[in-house]
Amino acid sequence: MQEFQVPQLLRMPLQELCLQTKLLSPTSCPVAEFLSKAPQPPPTHAIRNAVQMLKTIDALDQHEDLTDLGYHLADLPVEPHLGKMVLCAVVLKCLDPILTIACTLAYRDPFVLPTQGSQKRAALLCRKRFTSGTFSDHMALLRAFQAWQKARSEGWERSFCEKNFLSQATMDMILGMRTQLLGQLRAIGFVRARGGSDIRDVNLNSENWAVVKAALVAGMYPNLVHINKEQSFMSSSKEKKVNFHPTSILSQTQLKEEAQTLPTDWLIYDEMRRGQRMASVRCCSMVTPVTVAVFGGCAKLPSSALHEPASLKDSSVNETSDSDSEELAEIKLDDWLVFQLDTETAGLVFELRQKWQNLFIKRIKCPSKPWSPQDDAVICTLVSVLSAEEQRAGLQQPTGIGQRPRPMISEKGYQPTLKSSKNNSQSSNTDDRDEVSLGITPLSDDTLSSSSSSYCVSLNSPSGSPCTSSEKHSTQTSPQLTMSSIRYFIMKSSSIRNIEISQQKGIWSTTPCNESRLSKAYLENKLIILIFSVQGSGHFQGYARMTSVISRDSCQDWGLMGLGGAFSVEWIHKESLSFQSTQHILNPWNGNKKVQVSRDGQELEPQTGSQLLLITTVLTVIIAISR
């Protein structure tokens, strides 16, 4: 029996083995001592390194006893650092992208590297295309899986994998691991069936790449690399000089020429490989210093971790010292990781870090406990700070990373389009219709009245010329629409599936109480803009315009009772917009509440509706231009 069990144990990752050992061994017995009694024990130095790493990620305390986090990590079917990454994602409410990334890292790289030189270059270019310009190998893994899911749902995953140098078997395994890991999170209480901490709640911030990277940093630490932009080299706590592994999308970066142009000077990595000349890091992502300062290091830093730099202490007796330099402070996460900031900023970062760590420990101890307003405030503050730092660094915020399955973004970037109505006499068939774009253009001063908005909606053809009379909407709206001719309504949906049906078939149904208002507005030759939001998603899922009267026939596709007749809609924008981006928009027609706090059928004051569409359009244009 022992001859069968020992090889099984030795095939386990050593950190995971150490956690299981602490569950089985006497509390006072050190891990190395317990494993030394095995017929073929692991090397002592390897055990010590593994135990030290478990202490670093707070799975073991200084006495080698399991912490609350350690008990949970022992329950998860992935390596401890990946388990911590997943649990951080639950608390940060960005679980779905992290599930994919963690399972990919736990198994293997899904990209296949051909042996031929020309094919190698094509494979690397394909991998780079999946990164969406984010300086992140982790984004490439996420996007590849999402695009594969889309291809799989359409039945062409095999040819998709061949075209994109992906392993079909690896993708299938990652999908199975995701299901298993999510099931275990449900079993131990971190994801609930309904209410707080349900699958929608733990994905409220999944669209925010800055928040997703925060979970990556929390799990990857201490796998950090610093880029010395002045001397153009990279270093880590383990190696004085490192390089990028050839499989990284950053491997084409020439540090000597391009170091100054990189958005930040910090990287996280999954694995370091040591060669004869220099160590290399694979699966990297660029992160901001604030993300490292808040999410790196152990959970509880002593108050002495925030202190005045030693160099300033030595010079404090010098009366001629620069007053500006005296306002600096240091945050010391470990012997290698020290951040120097002005005193006020350092204090704020340190306080935010402490609040996050306290919240994380609290959620680990009681995962099913309801969230308090203070807990929500901490997360909202983190989201705002992380997003602002990403923008300041010039790092892109891709769209669609929190939903699946999704189509792969084309290399040319997304172009918002509005297809002409089915009644268009110039259309030969439904798959070859003219397209017009919806733009938001400023009105001139002489066009504005004191009560009107400073923006109007204009419908332009792809070439930029005004629409002809035959291309206009059936209500004869003019190319330039004043604010009084547009009405905006929030449409709530209980399911993302209903949104998908609407986008595919160009229809919608609402409750009878909403029908009368929509019908009246439509018959008054108004342009009706419907802004959709799935309940509990934390996002607006896009907007469409109403293009027909409401019929008496109900739609059988919804599977819901209590809805009225179906009517036609034309989808203008299908990209999601996070509520975090609309916090500043208030609706005077709903007690000046935030625009996301709306019931089904809630009408928006015209300027409020215009602002909401403006943000959506501007974000789309920025993303399209940046690509």
Side-chain angles (χ1 to χ4, degrees):
M1 193 69 175
Q2 287 183 340
E3 292 180 358
F4 174 77
Q5 289 181 334
V6 172
Q8 282 285 91
L9 288 174
L10 292 178
R11 281 199 295 269
M12 293 179 64
L14 194 52
Q15 293 178 26
E16 193 173 346
L17 174 61
C18 291
L19 279 183
Q20 297 299 327
T21 297
K22 291 305 299 182
L23 288 174
L24 300 173
S25 66
T27 305
S28 58
C29 182
V31 175
E33 179 182 338
F34 184 84
L35 291 179
S36 67
K37 300 174 183 179
Q40 297 179 358
T44 303
H45 71 277
I47 297 175
R48 289 174 179 170
N49 290 340
V51 169
Q52 184 57 45
M53 181 58 67
L54 292 172
K55 291 180 178 179
T56 301
I57 66 173
D58 299 306
L60 297 179
D61 62 20
Q62 294 305 310
H63 303 290
E64 289 192 17
D65 293 329
L66 281 171
T67 62
D68 292 319
L69 175 61
Y71 278 105
H72 288 306
L73 296 180
D75 283 334
L76 297 179
V78 291
E79 295 178 49
H81 72 284
L82 297 178
K84 181 179 180 180
M85 181 193 302
V86 170
L87 294 180
C88 284
V90 171
V91 181
L92 288 170
K93 302 188 177 185
C94 59
L95 178 60
D96 192 82
I98 289 295
L99 268 183
T100 299
I101 294 171
C103 290
T104 305
L105 297 178
Y107 187 52
R108 65 174 61 161
D109 190 339
F111 287 94
V112 178
L113 191 62
T115 54
Q116 296 180 356
S118 60
Q119 292 282 13
K120 276 187 178 181
R121 289 189 293 272
L124 288 175
L125 286 174
C126 183
R127 185 192 291 251
K128 188 173 183 179
R129 182 163 58 89
F130 280 114
T131 64
S132 303
T134 55
F135 296 92
S136 172
D137 291 308
H138 299 96
M139 174 61 79
L141 300 178
L142 176 61
R143 286 293 201 200
F145 181 81
Q146 292 174 333
W148 171 79
Q149 275 191 317
K150 173 65 175 177
R152 185 173 180 266
S153 67
E154 297 173 352
W156 63 289
E157 68 268 27
R158 184 178 298 277
S159 57
F160 172 82
C161 289
E162 292 174 355
K163 178 182 177 181
N164 293 282
F165 301 93
L166 291 164
S167 167
Q168 173 70 36
T170 300
M171 286 298 194
D172 287 332
M173 179 62 74
I174 293 170
L175 180 61
M177 292 175 67
R178 271 179 51 96
T179 304
Q180 180 187 4
L181 184 53
L182 180 58
Q184 188 60 26
L185 288 173
R186 294 182 186 276
I188 61 179
F190 281 94
V191 180
R192 304 176 67 185
R194 61 183 63 87
S197 297
D198 67 2
I199 194 64
R200 293 174 297 178
D201 184 53
V202 296
N203 280 301
L204 290 179
N205 296 319
S206 289
E207 282 291 334
N208 193 315
W209 183 235
V211 179
V212 174
K213 285 199 293 185
L216 289 176
V217 171
M220 292 292 183
Y221 180 85
N223 290 0
L224 290 167
V225 167
H226 181 254
I227 303 173
N228 188 320
K229 292 187 176 182
E230 295 181 357
Q231 300 182 23
S232 300
F233 72 91
M234 301 191 305
S235 61
S236 72
S237 59
K238 302 175 182 177
E239 299 286 339
K240 292 183 178 180
K241 284 191 177 182
V242 297
N243 208 340
F244 292 112
H245 192 269
T247 59
S248 172
I249 58 100
L250 294 167
S251 62
Q252 302 174 22
T253 303
Q254 302 296 325
L255 283 180
K256 291 184 179 180
E257 292 82 12
E258 302 179 38
Q260 296 294 333
T261 63
L262 292 175
T264 78
D265 51 4
W266 287 98
L267 287 163
I268 54 171
Y269 66 89
D270 175 52
E271 182 183 0
M272 179 180 289
R273 298 183 179 180
R274 291 175 174 82
Q276 294 180 351
R277 296 183 179 180
M278 189 181 298
S280 62
V281 288
R282 62 173 297 277
C283 203
C284 309
S285 289
M286 301 206 79
V287 295
T288 61
V290 166
T291 308
V292 177
V294 174
F295 292 89
C298 61
K300 292 186 177 180
L301 290 179
S303 57
S304 59
L306 176 63
H307 59 273
E308 183 181 353
S311 58
L312 294 182
K313 290 180 181 179
D314 296 339
S315 60
S316 60
V317 294
N318 187 353
E319 295 180 357
T320 62
S321 61
D322 188 357
S323 60
D324 291 336
S325 63
E326 289 181 346
E327 297 180 358
L328 294 177
E330 284 184 349
I331 299 178
K332 185 177 180 180
L333 303 187
D334 56 33
D335 293 335
W336 178 70
L337 205 53
V338 180
F339 292 94
Q340 193 170 94
L341 307 163
D342 65 83
T343 303
E344 182 179 2
T345 302
L348 292 173
V349 171
F350 190 78
E351 182 180 0
L352 182 59
R353 175 194 167 82
Q354 297 295 77
K355 288 186 177 298
W356 154 249
Q357 297 293 355
N358 290 337
L359 173 60
F360 181 66
I361 293 172
K362 174 182 175 182
R363 300 309 305 173
I364 292 298
K365 288 183 177 179
C366 303
S368 59
K369 186 177 181 179
W371 283 64
S372 68
Q374 292 77 13
D375 297 339
D376 289 324
V378 171
I379 297 298
C380 288
T381 303
L382 283 169
V383 171
S384 299
V385 171
L386 294 172
S387 300
E389 287 301 306
E390 291 277 305
Q391 293 179 358
R392 188 176 303 167
L395 288 165
Q396 292 189 28
Q397 167 58 53
T399 58
I401 64 173
Q403 299 178 1
R404 57 180 184 85
R406 289 164 293 274
M408 183 168 54
I409 302 299
S410 66
E411 292 184 61
K412 294 182 179 179
Y414 174 77
Q415 298 294 331
T417 59
L418 169 64
K419 293 192 175 182
S420 59
S421 68
K422 296 180 181 179
N423 299 328
N424 192 334
S425 60
Q426 296 181 351
S427 301
S428 59
N429 57 65
T430 57
D431 294 326
D432 187 22
R433 293 176 289 182
D434 293 335
E435 293 185 351
V436 293
S437 62
L438 180 77
I440 300 182
T441 56
L443 291 172
S444 58
D445 293 338
D446 56 357
T447 316
L448 298 175
S449 65
S450 59
S451 61
S452 66
S453 171
S454 59
Y455 291 94
C456 73
V457 177
S458 63
L459 298 174
N460 296 323
S461 65
S463 61
S465 59
C467 302
T468 63
S469 58
S470 62
E471 291 171 333
K472 291 178 184 177
H473 183 254
S474 58
T475 57
Q476 299 297 317
T477 55
S478 62
Q480 286 269 327
L481 297 163
T482 62
M483 192 56 56
S484 61
S485 66
I486 311 172
R487 294 180 69 175
Y488 306 85
F489 294 88
I490 298 293
M491 292 287 107
K492 290 283 188 176
S493 174
S494 61
S495 168
I496 189 66
R497 177 59 183 157
N498 291 343
I499 300 292
E500 293 171 350
I501 293 173
S502 176
Q503 292 174 351
Q504 292 168 4
K505 298 191 174 184
I507 58 173
W508 190 249
S509 298
T510 186
T511 58
C513 62
N514 293 332
E515 285 186 346
S516 58
R517 283 183 294 167
L518 293 181
S519 296
K520 181 180 178 181
Y522 184 82
L523 294 174
E524 290 174 351
N525 290 339
K526 304 291 187 180
L527 175 61
I528 310 300
I529 300 294
L530 306 177
I531 304 167
F532 294 82
S533 177
V534 176
Q535 293 177 353
S537 68
H539 291 78
F540 294 107
Q541 275 72 32
Y543 55 87
R545 71 172 179 173
M546 182 178 176
T547 59
S548 78
V549 295
I550 301 175
S551 72
R552 296 182 179 180
D553 298 328
S554 61
C555 177
Q556 302 300 319
D557 293 325
W558 312 123
L560 296 173
M561 301 296 293
L563 295 180
F567 55 93
S568 298
V569 296
E570 291 179 349
W571 277 82
I572 302 169
H573 191 90
K574 299 181 180 180
E575 296 290 320
S576 290
L577 177 68
S578 171
F579 287 170
Q580 296 295 333
S581 303
T582 63
Q583 295 282 348
H584 61 290
I585 304 179
L586 307 179
N587 184 15
W589 291 359
N590 190 27
N592 272 329
K593 295 179 181 178
K594 295 178 181 179
V595 69
Q596 59 263 33
V597 184
S598 299
R599 63 186 181 276
D600 182 39
Q602 172 67 56
E603 185 169 3
L604 304 182
E605 189 272 333
Q607 187 169 352
T608 300
S610 176
Q611 279 185 285
L612 187 55
L613 266 63
L614 177 64
I615 288 180
T616 306
T617 304
V618 168
L619 287 176
T620 299
V621 172
I622 290 173
I623 292 169
I625 292 175
S626 63
R627 286 173 180 156

